Each structure stands twice: as structure tokens, then as C-alpha cells.
Amino acid sequence: MSSTNKYEISLGKSVRILDLDKSVDKFDIVIDAEKGCWARVNEEDIPIVRLLLSKPIYIDEFMQTFPNKVSVIRDLFHSGLLCIDGLSRYSNNTVDTCKCIEKEQLIIVVNMTEKCNLVCSYCYAHSEENRNALFSDEDIVCYIDTVYRNLQSTRYLTIVFHGGEPLMIYHRLKWIIERVRGISSSIRISVQTNGTMLTVEIACFFKDNNVSIGLSLDGTSSISNKNRIFKSGASTVNAVIEGIKILLLVQNDFGVLSVITPQNTPYIVQTFDALIELGVKNFAFNFLLQSESAHSEIKEIDYRQLASAYEDIACRINDINSMRDYKDFVSERSTTTLIRSLLHQEQSICYCTPCGAGTQTIAIDIKGDVYACDCLVGHKEFYMGSIYDDFKVASLSPITILGKRVINMISICRDCPIRQLCINKCASDSFYRYKDVDHPHSLCKFSQILIPKLMNLLTDKRLNPDFFKLS
């Protein structure tokens, strides 16, 4: 057939139609598994997608065959899926969904102590080794000073004081923070605490020294928070809530970190609502790392229930922030990260492959040994040196098995159409379960359920990206 318009339109070989539950959804998600580009397509228009997948077609031929479907190819083009004469909307024909936003940052997690006043059932922050040899406070300050002077012209430095429970040795922590602040006011300092030992005096010290706080709480009831208890067996909820009230009173910069377990999955939204009412603005729902050292058997999480909870929380954040100034926005880390991914924005170091372990973040144990990641402290495979030897931060290089770990090298991930958008790529999840880094994340099913839900919410404009802290 003679054609006046010689432009050909087509969909690439890596474009897939997601397999969705048609009893619920009357549409399909079309996605490019290599680029991560995606678009929602009405079920009635899927024959057009299948035609474009089968062969290129001239634009005028398409117009003659589907005169009322110009909007379909327009949407496919603007999403980056449709190619015109082999070229997509993106000039380089790719979308880098795994580009890190923190390349100029180094995060050092300093594990101050293994002592803790709680017995959390899933805690991995301990070891069976003899821990009599501890780094001195003077030595860790000297190390931080050396690192800062080596990096100050090229990278930002963040120090996270961790444990155990750092507030059990508050006198040491206070001394170290004062000296780190003497090195530079530009060093970012954070303390991760269970919140049960906070006082107004401690909160004021943190505020005066520009120290941000991560506070751990899995739920606001004894049931949802049952994995975090005192050594006596008593619930920690009331003590942690009192700690939150102190931080709100003093106006500290803080966020609440919750570990997602089968026990608290049914109560996530309830916990979110209760803490919002209390005045909390920053959240992070972290997924359980199940290790051999866990003190109880962990059963599998209900992924559909968890995905529904995240969907509800995303809508709640959208609606709350639509009525607030940006400085008062509510944020949940995983939700924000997923939306960034769906919008093809750069990601933080923990959501990329290779990740930033060993290059953009390191962890120091209580002996002064250095590891590639705080989640992997104590495992010899990820040992990098010591603060007492010639270990030089300026020449950081990734541990080989982490540096070579990219998502396309994992067979199950390589065949997954949402692999470029999935944020669950942490190597430690694989290592804790299988003692290698060659397995996909345990939350694959969760991602496969939640990502299409968020795609729908964004397409329907139920979620407005302007109401999320994406920058």
C-alpha cells in the first residue's frame, strides 16, 4: 500500500503487558522492562498495543485503521514507550531509574554499644564474638576528624550513632557529639534510639547541636509493638510515646522508624493515624531482616494486606499535605521512594544496584572494625578494615560481591517486567536468608502488587507528586 506518511510507530521488544487481576481492574499496565517507562491502557485498547508489539506500522495506516485512537499512541509516546522510526521520547532511548542522588555523601554508622534495655525479637545488632576490646571515644573522634578533613572539599559527611541503645551510654555519646560539632557544624549527625530513655535534657542537647533523631516504634498498641519489649517483658509503647512527646515539645528534628512484621501489618494504618494525630511528620516503615540470630521464628507477611496499607497511607499523605505548607509535609520513606521511582527520579543509595555499601556508606562496630553496611556488621565477607589500620575513606571501593551485584544478574529479577521500578533491591535481605547476594528480595510479591496500585493512583491523579517530599 502506498503511504504518504513514512513515519513508522512501534513498541520495543522489552515492552510487556502486566498480568493484572481482571476481576478488579478493567485496564492494563504497559511497561518497558528495560527502561522502566510505563502507561495505563484501557482494556479495550490493548489490541492496539498488541498490534504495535507485533510489527511497526505507518502512522497514516494506523490513523485509517483506528481513526479515534490518536490519544492512545500520544499517551504511549509521552510515557516513553512508543518509538517513532525507532526513537522514543527520550533521546538516549533509556531511563536511568537507578541513578543515585547521594553520590557526594558519605554516611558513617557508628555502633556505640551493644548494650540495650530492650529485648526486641528480631534484633540483629549483636554478635556471639568476644567484645571486650572497644574503640575509645578519642579514637572515634580522631577518625571522624580525619575523614572530614579528607573529604570536606568533595563530599558531605553524615554520622549516625547507633547501637544497641546509644542512650545507655549517653555521657560518652554527648562527649563525642560535642567534639564532632567542634570539628564542623556542617557534619550531619543523627542518633537512632528506642526512645524509652529520652529526657528533656537529652532532647535539648540534641536540638542545640543540630542532631536529628530516629526513634523506633512498631505500633501504638501492645499487640502491634509486641516485638519491642523491656527485659521484664513489659510493653515499651507508653515509654516511647512519652519520648515522642518530649521531642515534639522541644521541637527536635526526628522521625519514627517501624519494622514491618506479621504482627503489626494489620495495624500499620492505625499506627500511622495515631502518630499523625500526635504530631509526628516523618516515618520509615522498614522491612524485617530475618537472621539466624533472630530470637523467634518469623512467619511470612500478608503481602496483599501490606500493599493495601501502603495504598491507604499514600492517599492519606497526599490529602494531609494538600492542606499544609511544604515545611510541615508528612513523609514516609518507602512511599516517597516508590513514587520517585515511578516518576523516573534519582534514588538514594539503598534502592539502587549496585548499592552504595562500601562507597557511600560504611559502618563501624564497637571494636573499630569497618564494614560495608550497618546491616552486614560482623560478617567477614563485608569486612573492609579498621579505624586503627591504614583504612582510607578517600579510596573507598565496593566489596566485590556487592559491586558486581546488579538487578539484571539475578535470574528471577531479570525476567520481571517491573525490575527497573522496584525499590526492594537490598543485598542484605538476600544475604540474611540465603548467605549469598544472588537472590531477589523477599518482598517481590509485595512490589508486584503495590506498584500497579500506585500507577493507578498517579494516573487517576488521586496522588499528586507535588504533595510528596520528592526533592
Side-chain angles (χ1 to χ4, degrees):
M1 182 180 81
S2 174
S3 177
T4 58
N5 192 330
K6 298 296 183 181
Y7 291 112
E8 283 188 333
I9 55 176
S10 62
L11 293 172
K13 293 181 179 180
S14 59
V15 173
R16 302 285 186 272
I17 301 171
L18 290 187
D19 183 17
L20 301 178
D21 184 356
K22 290 301 186 296
S23 65
V24 178
D25 304 317
K26 300 303 179 184
F27 48 79
D28 288 273
I29 300 293
V30 180
I31 188 168
D32 189 315
E34 291 296 333
K35 302 178 189 175
C37 301
W38 62 275
R40 192 178 75 177
V41 177
N42 291 331
E43 192 174 6
E44 64 184 44
D45 296 326
I46 285 300
I48 294 175
V49 173
R50 297 192 186 281
L51 173 65
L52 294 170
L53 282 171
S54 67
K55 63 177 182 178
I57 183 173
Y58 287 116
I59 289 181
D60 62 346
E61 182 181 345
F62 177 89
M63 297 290 291
Q64 291 172 14
T65 308
F66 305 102
N68 300 318
K69 296 297 182 180
V70 177
S71 62
V72 177
I73 59 171
R74 181 190 62 219
D75 292 344
L76 290 173
F77 176 76
H78 283 294
S79 69
L81 291 165
L82 187 79
C83 293
I84 299 178
D85 281 352
L87 296 176
S88 73
R89 178 186 178 190
Y90 303 103
S91 58
N92 65 353
N93 216 29
T94 188
V95 177
D96 188 355
T97 58
C98 225
K99 187 177 180 182
C100 285
I101 60 176
E102 296 165 342
K103 287 186 175 179
E104 296 181 351
Q105 178 173 230
L106 175 64
I107 302 171
I108 302 179
V109 179
V110 180
N111 289 282
M112 293 291 298
T113 180
E114 290 181 342
K115 296 178 181 178
C116 189
N117 58 329
L118 307 190
V119 282
C120 301
S121 63
Y122 48 67
C123 183
Y124 62 84
H126 72 280
S127 171
E128 301 303 324
E129 296 181 27
N130 185 342
R131 295 291 184 165
N132 292 328
L134 307 179
F135 63 68
S136 72
D137 298 345
E138 292 82 2
D139 287 341
I140 199 66
V141 170
C142 180
Y143 181 76
I144 292 171
D145 182 50
T146 301
V147 171
Y148 175 74
R149 295 186 188 284
N150 287 339
L151 299 182
Q152 61 178 321
S153 62
T154 57
R155 301 169 78 175
Y156 299 107
L157 181 60
T158 297
I159 307 296
V160 180
F161 292 104
H162 211 287
E165 173 49 50
L167 297 190
M168 290 195 73
I169 51 167
Y170 174 65
H171 62 289
R172 289 181 54 206
L173 179 66
K174 181 175 183 288
W175 188 90
I176 292 173
I177 289 174
E178 287 173 340
R179 273 122 193 104
V180 172
R181 272 288 160 258
I183 295 170
S184 175
S185 60
S186 67
I187 297 175
R188 300 171 186 172
I189 303 176
S190 178
V191 173
Q192 184 64 40
T193 174
N194 62 39
T196 62
M197 302 180 70
L198 282 166
T199 64
V200 172
E201 177 188 353
I202 293 173
C204 288
F205 172 76
F206 286 158
K207 183 172 177 61
D208 291 343
N209 287 275
N210 195 23
V211 176
S212 62
I213 301 149
L215 188 147
S216 299
L217 178 68
D218 291 354
T220 53
S221 70
S222 58
I223 296 175
S224 57
N225 198 55
K226 69 177 294 184
N227 290 303
R228 303 186 61 83
I229 57 175
F230 287 111
K231 290 182 178 180
S232 66
S235 172
T236 61
V237 172
N238 290 338
V240 180
I241 294 297
E242 286 305 309
I244 290 174
K245 289 178 180 179
I246 289 172
L247 296 177
L248 290 167
L249 175 68
V250 179
Q251 297 183 321
N252 290 89
D253 176 16
F254 78 99
V256 172
L257 184 151
S258 300
V259 175
I260 302 304
T261 66
Q263 289 81 11
N264 68 358
T265 297
Y267 306 101
I268 294 173
V269 176
Q270 174 185 315
T271 297
F272 177 84
D273 288 345
L275 292 176
I276 287 290
E277 185 175 350
L278 197 62
V280 176
K281 293 187 289 188
N282 298 308
F283 299 81
F285 293 127
N286 284 2
F287 299 107
L288 177 68
L289 282 178
Q290 182 181 353
S291 69
E292 291 179 345
S293 60
H295 301 305
S296 64
E297 182 179 352
I298 305 297
K299 298 179 181 178
E300 189 171 288
I301 290 172
D302 184 332
Y303 297 121
R304 291 195 177 277
Q305 185 180 49
L306 182 60
S308 294
Y310 265 83
E311 185 180 20
D312 287 347
I313 288 172
C315 291
R316 279 167 161 77
I317 291 173
N318 183 91
D319 297 346
I320 291 168
N321 291 345
S322 68
M323 299 181 290
R324 292 190 178 191
D325 294 333
Y326 185 83
K327 64 181 177 61
D328 294 320
F329 269 16
V330 170
S331 177
E332 193 285 309
R333 184 164 60 195
S334 295
T335 305
T336 300
T337 302
L338 267 170
I339 292 175
R340 289 183 63 87
S341 181
L342 292 173
L343 298 177
H344 311 303
Q345 295 184 7
E346 295 174 336
Q347 295 291 4
S348 61
I349 57 178
C350 293
Y351 301 103
C352 298
T353 56
C355 67
T359 56
Q360 294 157 272
T361 180
I362 58 174
I364 301 171
D365 74 1
I366 63 171
K367 297 190 301 182
D369 289 337
V370 181
Y371 293 85
C373 173
D374 188 50
C375 293
L376 300 168
V377 166
H379 298 284
K380 63 181 183 300
E381 297 91 337
F382 307 99
Y383 175 78
M384 299 184 69
S386 168
I387 65 171
Y388 294 107
D389 59 24
D390 290 332
F391 179 76
K392 292 183 174 59
V393 173
S395 57
L396 284 177
S397 59
I399 298 291
T400 302
I401 58 174
L402 295 177
K404 290 183 177 180
R405 186 183 188 268
V406 294
I407 207 69
N408 286 346
M409 294 179 63
I410 301 171
S411 59
I412 294 176
C413 297
R414 186 168 57 244
D415 297 330
C416 178
I418 64 168
R419 63 181 179 273
Q420 296 295 348
L421 301 175
C422 178
I423 66 170
N424 294 311
K425 298 169 180 172
C426 179
S428 61
D429 178 88
S430 172
F431 183 79
Y432 269 69
R433 285 170 169 78
Y434 303 104
K435 296 304 177 186
D436 63 43
V437 297
D438 303 321
H439 286 76
H441 201 282
S442 58
L443 288 169
C444 281
K445 293 178 183 177
F446 167 71
S447 296
Q448 291 166 358
I449 297 168
L450 179 59
I451 286 177
K453 287 178 177 288
L454 293 182
M455 288 174 169
N456 292 332
L457 294 173
L458 288 168
T459 302
D460 290 335
K461 302 188 186 307
R462 177 63 184 86
L463 297 183
N464 183 344
D466 292 340
F467 297 145
F468 292 82
K469 283 187 173 180
L470 301 181
S471 59

